Amino acid sequence: MFDVDGTLADTERDGHRIAFNDAFAAHRLDLCWDVERYGELLAITGGRRRVAAALRERGVEDADDLAARVHRTKTALFTEVVRRREIGPRPGLPALLDDLRAHGVRIAVATTGRRAWVEPLLAHVLGEDTAEVVVCGDDVAALKPDPEAYRTALARLDVDAARTVAVEDSGPGLRAGLAAGLATVVVTNDYTADHDLTGAAIVRESFDAPTPLTAAELGTALL
Ligand code: XBP
Ligand code: MG
């Protein structure tokens, strides 16, 4: 089971962040997240919650309502970016996916992102054989680090947690995988390299260096 943001694709710094800033401008809000600030805000999962927290911090009344409207704009803007295929898979990921498929491994997705952009991104990143099950932020009441997205994906696949590996990029994602009872492999990125990754079955900085991550290595996470 793969996470999307930061795992299948590097979506955050030059993708979501820019779309949030464009949405703030469209709503005439004096708010702009630089790379560093956005990294801190990633501790709050889910775009709408992230915006609401920033608005509340500024003492904005009706922060939740305004955040919902701003987030709708952001989702539309980011969906356009994804549809233009400006964001591709993380290096080394296509080779891992080929290896998993060659071994008959079932592939699912559990993300806290919105289905509007997740589906076109998966069509691009996973290709025609997209994931068997795709659980998005729209499908669950509680976002990561809550395990609901993973538990929902397990139920839809009708598989045991004990036979499933989660692949994540971040501390909140790792905690979601572990809380669902999944062996969890973490492939970090610039934003998550300093997260607390205690409990991860395997931690790597990349899918392809120093050696390619293989289906066999992922399988060792279950041992
Ligand atoms: C990623 C998120 C997402 C994105 C933004 O966390 O929290 O909210 O940052 O997407 P994870 P939306 O990788 O753990 O799923 O604006 O669609 O929420
Ligand atoms: Mg992630």
Side-chain angles (χ1 to χ4, degrees), residues 76-146:
L77 292 168
F78 187 63
T79 302
E80 281 311 305
V81 170
V82 170
R83 286 197 190 284
R84 289 197 297 270
R85 302 204 152 196
E86 289 175 15
I87 301 174
R90 279 185 71 175
L93 183 83
L96 172 63
L97 293 169
D98 285 348
D99 195 29
L100 290 169
R101 289 183 181 123
H103 284 83
V105 177
R106 301 170 74 190
I107 294 172
V109 162
T111 171
T112 59
R114 294 293 166 143
R115 191 169 288 277
W117 62 261
V118 169
E119 286 195 337
L121 185 70
L122 293 182
H124 181 33
V125 168
L126 299 182
E128 282 177 16
D129 292 329
T130 189
E132 201 175 316
V133 161
V134 178
V135 176
C136 297
D138 320 53
D139 304 325
V140 293
L143 304 185
K144 297 174 188 177
D146 190 281

Side-chain angles (χ1 to χ4, degrees), residues 3 5-7 168-170:
D3 168 50
D5 286 307
T7 302
E168 276 286 351
D169 69 306
S170 71

Side-chain angles (χ1 to χ4, degrees), residues 151-162:
R151 288 197 177 131
T152 304
L154 285 169
R156 288 189 194 168
L157 285 171
D158 195 20
V159 290
D160 257 359

